Amino acid sequence: LSSAVSQLESIPGKFSLNTRLRSEEFETPSKDTGGTSIRARYGYTTPSFNGFTALVEGETLSRIGDDADELPGLDNAGDGTDLNQLWVQYKDADLGSAKLGRQIYVLDDQRFVGHVGWRQNIQTFDAFTGAVTAIDNLTLKAFYFNGVERVNAASDQLDSIGLNLTYKFAPS
């Protein structure tokens, strides 16, 4: 195992691993249910090359226990492994960034556009996104969404565009 770890450490870029064990109880007037699940998210981000980076990330969700035939609430994504993210990005420190592929995308406080990170399965978008940061304290974000992978494992086709302009008046 130490040999495999030292081989991984010699590869440029960054490997990631994130796991979460979750137990939930769900009660409604018509149904009481519960479940336990474990999620593993793993990926690799390339080192930057002339401003370009790329990421590939998978996610495996497994239910634990014989009575966990249904996870409560919106987490009923089921067992399995999915491609979570796969994108390429260009970043310029003075101008901004552009990203193409399946990605996590959030705007402001995530009230309307976000990844629903407190769920076992996060929401990702098939998208082209960009941010212009050339003016101090001003950020202009633009996006085109072609699809969304929802927290319950549903996939929806989209054809959505949006702009978001943020100006930071003070650090607070």
Side-chain angles (χ1 to χ4, degrees), residues 47-119:
S48 181
F49 178 75
N50 293 329
F52 286 93
T53 55
L55 174 129
V56 61
E57 180 182 77
E59 184 175 75
T60 300
L61 181 62
S62 300
R63 293 181 246 187
I64 299 171
D66 295 334
D67 60 345
D69 53 333
E70 180 179 320
L71 291 177
L74 295 175
D75 268 15
N76 194 16
D79 296 324
T81 299
D82 295 314
L83 176 68
N84 205 35
Q85 295 189 82
L86 177 63
W87 52 254
V88 63
Q89 173 179 259
Y90 177 76
K91 262 190 184 179
D92 182 286
D94 297 326
L95 297 176
S97 63
K99 188 186 287 186
L100 177 65
R102 182 166 294 171
Q103 58 190 279
I104 293 172
Y105 191 71
V106 297
L107 288 178
D108 302 328
D109 63 2
Q110 301 184 45
R111 182 177 215 163
F112 300 108
V113 178
H115 69 328
V116 197
W118 55 279
R119 290 290 183 187

Side-chain angles (χ1 to χ4, degrees), residues 90-98 130-142 164-166:
Y90 177 76
K91 262 190 184 179
D92 182 286
D94 297 326
L95 297 176
S97 63
V132 178
T133 56
I135 300 171
D136 287 344
N137 299 324
L138 182 71
T139 302
L140 173 64
K141 292 182 178 180
N164 178 272
L165 183 67
T166 306

Side-chain angles (χ1 to χ4, degrees), residues 25-39:
E25 296 298 321
F26 184 68
E27 295 179 24
T28 67
S30 62
K31 186 175 188 180
D32 291 345
T33 186
T36 302
S37 63
I38 188 162
R39 187 250 307 135

